[in-house]
């Protein structure tokens, strides 16, 4: 009986995502009669059956890659159609005020919702699968020495290597990263979804990233949904230094910079894991500026208290599929970009890859170049 509420929620979400689009695209414009009504209703009923089943088979104990591709794709498409069905029905009110009667009003709305959704799904797939654009941001760091002026810190995050084979994409991302001439390279978590055995081929090109002062990696929440210790060891084998509640001091000339990293909060469920910023900064020179890698933006609270100069995070994907960023904002203080919190700055990347649905709508991916300047 304890699983009943979960099952109800598991079925209620797809029911909501499907019910409004069904009414908008099928029931209202056909007036509930005719072959198009029954054909459309059958299609939406099939989607309702397939979506939860595919999500369970893909992300549950079976971990079926084929099922996850089907389930994730359906989820993304239905979110787009649902969102634009909401907007379409708001437009319906305007048409009613303008004196447009049914069935013409419902058919205008249905045509608009279908056209907008189809265009955004196609565009969203292209945006998700393309090599991310480079975003360069200058960040002023108090106490940064002149020898470190112009230091180039290149960030990738949320690559989420998963069921879709993106080996070629991974290789091209590495080429773009190296073209930025990074002094420091960082991966801010959510490396892959799945085991090292299944996903390492897509991750392995990261071993070719070149950065003079070091390559650093932290865990995201998704590592803890799978094999976090395995991924930590694998990134070490590729020459990346995992920062698990620890720091390193980098030097150029007479000037120094601390790079620290902490575990994702999801790690508290695994013995020996979980964020511990005091431990990460133990022994660091208090007069040396600190750049902290912390996967989730909401970890900024502890960073501010510790006097961190700059926190680098991912996790949000910038919302990934509009208007999901409004829901992300309920959980995180920032969705994307550079922000200030007291004396600490936070850069939140929109992510380099995508999770689940291979869609990005109004939330483009990025490879970030943070150019550090003295303040």
């Amino acid at each position: 009986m304890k699983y009943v509420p979960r099952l109800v929620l598991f079925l209620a979400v797809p029911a909501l995502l499907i019910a409004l689009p069904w009414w908008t695209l099928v029931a209202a414009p056909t007036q509930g009669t005719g072959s198009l009504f029954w054909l459309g209703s059958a299609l939406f009923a099939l989607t309702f059956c397939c979506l939860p089943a595919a999500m369970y088979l893909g992300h549950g104990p079976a971990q079926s890659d084929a099922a996850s591709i089907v389930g994730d794709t359906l989820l993304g498409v239905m979110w787009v159609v649902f969102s634009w069905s909401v907007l379409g029905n708001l437009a319906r009110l305007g048409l009613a005020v303008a004196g447009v009667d049914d069935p013409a009003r419902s058919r205008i709305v249905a045509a608009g919702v279908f056209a907008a959704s189809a265009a955004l799904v196609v565009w969203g797939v292209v945006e998700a699968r393309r090599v991310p654009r480079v975003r360069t941001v200058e960040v002023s760091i108090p106490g940064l020495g002149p020898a470190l002026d112009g230091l180039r810190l290149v960030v990738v995050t949320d690559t989420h290597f998963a069921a879709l084979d993106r080996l070629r994409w991974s290789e091209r991302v590495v080429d773009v990263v190296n073209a930025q001439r990074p002094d420091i390279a960082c991966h801010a978590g959510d490396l892959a979804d799945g085991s090292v055995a299944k996903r390492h081929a897509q991750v392995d090109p990261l071993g070719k990233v070149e950065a003079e002062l070091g390559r650093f990696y932290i865990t995201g929440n998704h590592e803890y949904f799978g094999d976090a210790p395995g991924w930590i060891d694998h990134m070490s084998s590729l020459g990346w230094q995992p920062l698990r509640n620890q720091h390193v001091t980098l030097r150029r000339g007479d000037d120094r910079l601390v790079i620290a990293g902490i575990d994702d909060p999801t790690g508290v469920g695994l013995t020996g894991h979980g964020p511990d910023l005091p431990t990460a900064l133990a022994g660091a020179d208090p007069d040396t500026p600190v750049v902290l890698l912390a996967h989730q933006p909401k970890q900024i609270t502890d960073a501010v208290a510790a006097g961190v100069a700059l926190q680098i995070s991912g996790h949000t994907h910038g919302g990934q599929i509009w208007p999901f960023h409004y829901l992300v904002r309920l959980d995180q203080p920032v969705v994307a970009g550079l922000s200030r919190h007291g004396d600490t700055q936070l850069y939140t990347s929109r992510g380099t890859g995508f999770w689940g649905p291979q869609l990005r709508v109004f939330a483009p991916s990025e490879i970030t170049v943070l150019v550090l300047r003295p303040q």
Side-chain angles (χ1 to χ4, degrees), residues 18-30 44 89 92 102 106 110:
I18 290 168
L20 181 61
W22 167 78
W23 187 84
T24 304
L25 297 177
V26 176
T30 62
F44 275 95
N89 281 287
R92 177 192 302 276
D102 267 335
S106 293

Side-chain angles (χ1 to χ4, degrees), residues 34-258:
S35 58
L36 287 178
F37 169 77
W38 292 110
L39 181 62
S41 297
L43 179 62
F44 275 95
L46 179 63
T47 301
F48 175 71
C49 294
C50 287
L51 177 54
M55 291 297 288
Y56 178 76
L57 292 173
H59 298 284
Q63 292 289 298
S64 166
D65 282 355
S68 71
I69 292 171
V70 172
D72 292 344
T73 301
L74 285 175
L75 179 64
V77 170
M78 290 314 304
W79 173 255
V80 172
V81 179
F82 172 83
S83 301
W84 287 86
S85 293
V86 172
L87 294 178
N89 281 287
L90 291 175
R92 177 192 302 276
L93 298 177
L95 291 173
V97 172
V100 180
D101 295 325
D102 267 335
R105 181 171 68 238
S106 293
R107 290 171 182 172
I108 291 171
V109 169
V113 169
F114 179 83
S117 299
L120 288 172
V121 165
V122 171
W123 180 56
V125 170
V126 172
E127 276 291 302
R129 295 185 66 87
R130 76 187 308 277
V131 175
R133 300 170 181 87
V134 175
R135 187 177 188 197
T136 302
V137 180
E138 291 201 353
V139 184
S140 297
I141 302 294
L144 188 73
L148 296 171
D149 185 11
L151 190 81
R152 297 174 67 82
L153 198 157
V154 178
V155 180
V156 295
T157 184
D158 299 278
T159 43
H160 286 284
F161 293 110
L164 286 166
D165 186 357
R166 289 184 286 150
L167 174 59
R168 178 57 184 146
W169 180 88
S170 180
E171 294 169 340
R172 293 171 67 192
V173 165
V174 169
D175 290 341
V176 173
V177 168
N178 285 336
Q180 308 314 307
R181 298 172 287 105
D183 297 299
I184 302 168
C186 301
H187 194 300
D190 280 4
L191 174 67
D193 291 285
S195 67
V196 174
K198 292 179 71 173
R199 310 296 184 219
H200 76 87
Q202 298 179 66
V203 173
D204 288 351
L206 293 177
K208 297 179 181 178
V209 169
E210 300 172 355
E212 178 187 353
L213 297 180
R215 300 174 293 177
F216 303 101
Y217 161 70
I218 60 167
T219 55
N221 55 309
H222 278 250
E223 278 87 345
Y224 292 105
F225 299 153
D227 181 17
W231 283 117
I232 291 166
D233 290 344
H234 190 69
M235 287 296 277
S236 293
S237 75
L238 296 177
W240 288 69
Q241 181 173 350
L243 292 177
R244 296 205 49 247
N245 300 323
Q246 61 191 113
H247 74 272
V248 297
T249 300
L250 305 180
R251 292 173 173 82
R252 176 171 283 174
D254 294 328
D255 296 321
R256 296 178 297 174
L257 178 71
V258 169

